Amino acid sequence: MVFLGGLFALMPPVLLAQTQDVNQLPGAILLRKFLPPMVDRMRFEPLLPEQRMLNEPKVKLLVRKDGYEFCSRITGVPISPASRPMACAYWNVLRKECTVITPEVTGYNYVGHEVRHCFEGAFHD
């Protein structure tokens, strides 16, 4: 494969393939044991616009160094050796705003879950 004057020809094959065994990643054992909550394992069907808490919210993402502690205070979920809140959301119905808060390191599934809260409110509480 030759591109940009032979740039790809000079690259080691490992850089071209970019395949990575997830079992070799740090914390892989935790990934294998992780089972999302039941609400995140079901097919998501959005509510009709008139049934949503916020029909067209302005969604903001706030990444905080103290994200775990901040979300623990908002949700009431304590931080323990076995669990911690990975993200949270709070909304202002009058202003049609929703803010998703995460720690500096989190997963897309947590962000997506919280964005769903922006539209539907406390759907699993």
Side-chain angles (χ1 to χ4, degrees):
M1 175 182 343
V2 177
F3 181 70
L4 295 176
L7 177 64
F8 285 136
L10 299 175
M11 297 174 89
V14 171
L15 293 179
L16 295 174
Q18 295 277 332
T19 58
Q20 187 171 21
D21 181 3
V22 294
N23 293 311
Q24 300 301 316
L25 293 173
I29 195 157
L30 295 174
L31 290 174
R32 285 194 298 271
K33 290 183 177 183
F34 173 73
L35 188 60
M38 185 57 90
V39 71
D40 290 340
R41 290 186 273 157
M42 302 180 314
R43 181 175 172 81
F44 169 63
E45 295 291 336
L47 293 175
L48 296 172
E50 58 272 7
Q51 294 175 317
R52 297 178 188 160
M53 174 174 275
L54 298 176
N55 189 4
E56 295 180 19
K58 176 182 176 184
V59 179
K60 299 184 275 185
L61 176 64
L62 179 60
V63 178
R64 296 179 57 120
K65 287 185 182 210
D66 69 339
Y68 302 119
E69 294 81 9
F70 187 89
C71 287
S72 179
R73 287 192 304 273
I74 286 181
T75 64
V77 175
I79 297 173
S80 72
S83 74
R84 57 188 172 184
M86 298 299 289
C88 56
Y90 63 90
W91 51 92
N92 182 315
V93 176
L94 295 177
R95 292 179 22 198
K96 297 184 179 181
E97 289 182 349
C98 181
T99 304
V100 174
I101 297 96
T102 71
E104 290 178 310
V105 176
T106 195
Y108 291 117
N109 57 319
Y110 298 112
V111 175
H113 178 99
E114 298 308 325
V115 169
R116 182 178 174 189
H117 279 298
C118 290
F119 288 89
E120 295 186 17
F123 56 83
H124 62 78
D125 294 341

